[in-house]
Amino acid sequence: MEKRISNAKRYVEDVADTIARYIDNKDNYPHNACLIVQPALCETVIDDPQYTKDCDIYDLRHFIRKKTNGEELPDRASIERLARRYYA
């Protein structure tokens, strides 16, 4: 099995984009949405974790930071730490 994204830098960009879409469209996601990673493929989605199997589940709050004006943004430092877990 090969990872969907070949390197950590591209993975960070992909996850940051996924989280940015979540921030902009929270009402389109389940109320208990989490960041879900299928480790072997590094496939990463935001969804209800209830029916996931063999996936790593993360609290989204760990990957979102707030600016002083309250604006939410993807927390790139946290996303980079996540990428290191899968691209060590």
Side-chain angles (χ1 to χ4, degrees):
M1 221 178 313
E2 194 170 316
K3 292 182 179 178
R4 184 179 73 84
I5 297 175
S6 61
N7 64 59
K9 183 176 179 170
R10 285 190 49 220
Y11 182 74
V12 168
E13 293 302 320
D14 184 70
V15 173
D17 288 345
T18 299
I19 291 172
R21 283 192 304 277
Y22 168 77
I23 291 169
D24 292 340
N25 301 289
K26 284 183 184 177
D27 292 341
N28 296 337
Y29 291 86
H31 73 282
N32 61 336
C34 294
L35 187 72
I36 302 168
V37 181
Q38 199 291 326
L41 298 175
C42 290
E43 181 70 35
T44 305
V45 297
I46 295 175
D47 206 345
D48 181 336
Q50 181 177 359
Y51 302 107
T52 60
K53 183 178 179 190
D54 300 326
C55 292
D56 298 335
I57 299 168
Y58 300 94
D59 186 330
L60 280 165
R61 292 176 293 185
H62 296 292
F63 303 99
I64 298 172
R65 67 177 179 89
K66 284 191 179 186
K67 292 173 63 172
T68 53
N69 66 1
E71 179 185 4
E72 293 182 324
L73 297 169
D75 185 336
R76 295 188 76 81
S78 294
I79 296 167
E80 288 170 1
R81 283 191 295 276
L82 175 72
R84 285 194 291 272
R85 290 190 67 179
Y86 300 106
Y87 291 88

